[in-house]
Amino acid sequence: MSVNLSKGQAISLEKNDGATLTAVRMGLGWQAAKRRGLFGTRTREVDLDASAVLFAGQEPQDVVFFRHLVSDDGSVRHTGDNLVGGAGQGDDEVILVDLQRVPAHIDQIVFTVNSFTGQTFQEVQNAFCRLVDETNGQELARYTLAGGGDYTAQIMAKVHRSGSGWTMTALGAPANGRTFQDLMPAIRRHL
């Protein structure tokens, strides 16, 4: 059973039977918003990019994004860049996290979305970020980006260690930047 998260809400990533998750998939989906123009309705392609920044305390240790598809330790993997979004049918970009292989010093993984082409989220519709149990395909949580805004990025969620397991927090914080590097000051506010 999936939980629809609201901004700032956290959920424990334990299975219903009390076992901890071993592998999760962070999926990102979006569509270009239709705009009314002089000659009818049109859409302009939007290139959103998903990234995962791995932190030890306040310090970034590694990042997974379209130009660095696998973390140095191999625990986090991006499946590839989607330049235009989808038709509303599933994940357009995916980041896989093998929670058992994440090194012990990594205590947070922050997931971001940015418009590489610099378009604002006013030009995006049906955007979502979801967390799926990769072992059985069950959706655990979904954060829907409701309403566009005059910003080019979003600090979507973070997965962080909580005792012997992991917790996901939906952040949904708007930011501006074309790459994860541009977002680092905004990310740090959520660590």
Side-chain angles (χ1 to χ4, degrees), residues 15-26:
K15 293 186 175 190
N16 292 337
D17 63 3
T20 58
L21 290 172
T22 57
V24 294
R25 173 177 19 141
M26 181 64 70

Side-chain angles (χ1 to χ4, degrees), residues 53-62 104-110 158 160 180 183-191:
V53 185
L54 289 72
F55 285 89
Q58 298 284 316
E59 296 302 314
Q61 302 296 305
D62 201 353
H105 71 285
I106 300 296
D107 57 359
Q108 299 181 78
I109 303 171
V110 179
K158 70 178 178 177
H160 49 100
F180 76 89
L183 304 178
M184 290 307 290
I187 292 171
R188 288 185 191 279
R189 290 191 288 269
H190 299 283
L191 298 178

